[in-house]
Structures are given as structure tokens and as C-alpha cells.
Amino acid sequence: MSATELSTRPAIPGMAANVPPIYLDNQASTRVDPRVVEAMLPYFTEHFGNPPSTSHAYGRIAAAAIDEARAAVAALIHADPREIVFTSGATEANNLAIKGAAHFARTYAQGGRVRDHIVTLTTEHKCVLESCAQLERDGFAVTYLPVEPNGLVALDRLEAALTSRTLLVSVMAAHNEIGVVQPLAEIGAMCRARGVLFHTDAAQAAGKIPLDVEAIQADLMSISGHKVYGPKGVGVLYVRRRPRARLLPLIDGGGQERGLRSGTLPTPLCVGLGCAATIAAAEMTEEARRLRQLRDRLYQGLARRVPGLSLNGDAQHRLPGNLNLSFPGIEAPALIEACPSIAISTGSACTSARIEPSYVLRALGLSEAISNSAIRIGIGRFNTAAEIDFAVDALAAAAARLGDK
Ligand SMILES: *Cc1c(COP(=O)(O)O)cnc(C)c1O
């Protein structure tokens, strides 16, 4: 998007004209918090050393900064810093968790007991589904479980899918498209009781809802920097030490990150993610309360003015700032185009360029028409009540116009 495109929003009463569209796509990415930018800057310039080069101050300063960032991310999810592996993002963390566990199990199968079966949901992020598909091509077995109409997994169905060969269950913590939060503690307990590894993609959940790797008994958890007001290009895989979750690395080299992820760590990005984690830990409760209020204000405002408006995904078990809404009889791309003053999307950033209906919404059992009329609204840290009211007006007016046609 060009800079001129970013200055097309008409005036909001009481707000300046010629400002960028209101950003309501915080599930696709978040603005880096200014405090995070501030924390990162010195590590691009004077503190540029390579973290393991501890024979001099440059390396030692970088290494200390990495240690601090690792501890901050660990604290956010109640982990030990030694359980934190920095990656390039949640895509890599998910690949490492799923492929790494599968290939370790196959390579080091104990006493002929092979665990070569993985269970996941049809609504998982593409990087989980495609990692599983790759494992199927490599001879592993994968069960893709359907979800209930509210987007949640039925625990009895999950339990029925587990066999003596099941190695790993991968279930997203909070959904990027429909915002639903899965019953993580129940899933973790079920997996632990059967010696099955539990991986959760927490890219959307981390920093937004409380996450405790002990309480939910997760063995592997993926986090992304740019979903928590941190930078793009960095993420984390939490890898449990007791009982140990064992992985084969995807990348070989200098043996960084306990051999699980070779390559020089991007110190500024790690520092940014650490700072973002510290802010989230301190402000999450209050921020969630505020975002829930804004979300309810937006939903109630729209529901009053848009006949037949429907909410996709469970109403209770969902992220504070997320709404996925269907406007009956209106195609989502037309609605989005009719509202250039707000930045929203139909859902997954990876697939919204295509005009096929969302596989996630179809998995809820929604008709093609309802799926095609759904928009995702992601309210975030920097949104205000005035912006929410503006968005209600813009969407309701556009829906009325389009509905008349
Ligand atoms: C954004 C996202 C990813 C991918 O994360 P990157 O850091 O962009 O690779 C994976 N899973 C979920 C649920 C996401 O929201």
C-alpha cells in the first residue's frame, strides 16, 4: 500500500482529516508498540555484536539482551527460559514442533514402539495443516478432526481419535479467523494421561489471554512477534523440559538454541519480542477488559442496524478483540471495498486474496453464502471508542446501501 493510499480516510467528527484508514485487522498483524521500537533500536546500532561472541563486550551485551528477552517470553507463559527457542515466527515454530517431533519419534523409536500418528483440526492455520500434509507424504498418519458449529473441538471426539500410535495433538489456542479459544487444559490433561505430546499454536492467544504451560500441560507452544505488538520475523517455540519434548531440528548449523535452531539470533527482534511480552504480561488484564468493551460496543451497534447480522464462532470462548460477522446477502469483498476508511479483511491474510470461501467457516457448517458474507474484525491496543463508533457507522451504512441493490 502506498503512502497516498494511507491518507484517504474522510474526517471523523473531532478527528483530523486525511489520516490513514482505521486499522481493525489486528489478527493479521499488529503495530509495533512504540516502547518496543525504543527497546530494539540500540541493538541495530551500538549493540550489534553476535550473541555467542562473548570474548568481547559487543557479544556479551547482545548475549545479555537475548537472555533477558528469553526470560521475558518465558515469564509470559510461565515457562523456564531454557524452554524457549527463538524462531523466525509462528510458521517456523509450528513446522519445528510438528515435523521435529514426528521425525525425532521415527528416528529414535524405542523398543519398536512407533508413534507415527498426529491429530489436528480441520480449522488449524495453513502452516499447521501443510506441515501435517508434508508428514503424510513422508509416511506419517494424520487425523484432521472436524469442529463443532461454534468452532470448538468436541473433547469426546478428540479422545476417540487418540490411539496407541498417536504421537502428537496440535490444536490452536485462539483462532486467527474466528477468535475461538479451545479448551486447552482439558486437551492437555487428556494428552498427558496418554503420553501424547500436546502442541498449541498460540500466535493469537499469547499476550491476549492468560497462558500457563503448566496449567494447560502443553509440551510445545508457538508464539509470533508481530501478533503481540512486537516485530515481524521473530517468534518462539516453547519446548518442555520435564517431561522432555524431543525434536529433530529443521535447520542444521552452528547449534544455536540448544541445537534446535541454528543460525545467528536477530538480537533486535528478540529484544523486541521480549519487550512485547513484558508489556503484555503487565497490561493484559486491563487491555482485555477494554478490548472486550470495544468489541461488544461494535457488535451491539452493528446488530441494531444490520438485520440478520450473525456472529461466527463461539460467543463466550473467544479473544477479547475479535469478531467474525456475516452480513446476510452481502458479499464480504463488496462490503470491504465499500468501506475504504476502515482496514478489515475476510480472514486469513494468506488466503483472502483468493475468492474461495474460507475453509474455516465452511468447517463450522456454514453455507457458502454465509461464509462468503463474513468479515473479520480485529480490535487492538491502539483502537479507540471513537474509531469503533466510526466503524459501526461506516459498516452499517455500506451494508444498507449494498443490501438495497
Ligand atoms: C499469524 C499466525 C501464524 C503465522 O505466524 P508468523 O509469525 O507470521 O509466521 C500462525 N498461526 C496463527 C494462529 C497465526 O495467527
Side-chain angles (χ1 to χ4, degrees), residues 98 101-102 105 115-118 140 165-169 195-197:
I98 295 166
R115 287 192 185 247
D116 59 358
H117 174 230
I118 288 156
F140 292 89
R165 295 181 77 111
T166 307
L167 169 74
L168 175 115
V169 166
V196 174
L197 292 170

Side-chain angles (χ1 to χ4, degrees), residues 91-307:
T91 298
E92 185 188 335
N94 287 340
N95 272 263
L96 175 57
I98 295 166
K99 295 177 185 169
H103 287 294
F104 186 94
R106 173 182 281 176
T107 308
Y108 300 103
Q110 279 167 357
R113 205 173 68 125
V114 192
R115 287 192 185 247
D116 59 358
H117 174 230
I118 288 156
V119 178
T120 190
L121 306 183
T122 55
T123 49
E124 290 295 310
H125 195 273
K126 282 286 181 193
C127 59
V128 166
L129 296 176
E130 291 302 321
S131 292
C132 289
Q134 182 57 42
L135 287 178
E136 284 186 286
R137 291 189 284 272
D138 291 341
F140 292 89
V142 180
T143 300
Y144 300 92
L145 281 179
V147 295
E148 300 300 295
N150 63 1
L152 299 177
V153 63
L155 292 168
D156 53 350
R157 242 189 192 156
L158 176 60
E159 185 148 41
L162 303 179
T163 75
S164 59
R165 295 181 77 111
T166 307
L167 169 74
L168 175 115
V169 166
S170 181
V171 172
M172 202 190 292
H175 202 276
N176 51 297
E177 217 171 304
I178 52 175
V180 297
V181 177
Q182 297 287 353
L184 301 173
E186 288 82 353
I187 298 171
M190 188 188 295
C191 290
R192 183 64 59 81
R194 292 161 171 267
V196 174
L197 292 170
F198 173 35
H199 166 247
T200 185
D201 174 356
Q204 295 290 343
K208 316 287 171 53
I209 60 171
L211 280 178
D212 180 332
V213 290
E214 291 311 323
I216 67 172
Q217 301 188 68
D219 298 292
L220 300 156
M221 179 186 284
S222 307
I223 295 175
S224 171
H226 73 102
K227 305 290 174 68
V228 286
Y229 311 97
K232 292 173 180 62
V234 69
V236 148
L237 181 64
Y238 157 80
V239 184
R240 177 174 290 282
R241 282 168 65 83
R242 286 203 191 88
R244 197 177 199 92
R246 318 226 36 184
L247 308 175
L248 277 194
L250 301 176
I251 297 171
D252 300 301
Q256 287 93 340
E257 300 301 89
R258 297 170 189 271
L260 285 175
R261 209 282 193 164
S262 286
T264 303
L265 285 178
T267 312
L269 302 184
C270 297
V271 166
L273 178 48
C275 181
T278 300
I279 293 170
E283 301 180 0
M284 185 191 309
T285 310
E286 173 55 24
E287 184 165 290
R289 194 189 57 75
R290 196 180 73 85
L291 293 185
R292 233 177 268 119
Q293 275 176 1
L294 292 180
R295 179 194 71 190
D296 295 346
R297 182 183 180 114
L298 201 157
Y299 180 65
Q300 284 152 15
L302 274 181
R304 270 197 294 274
R305 291 172 56 180
V306 181

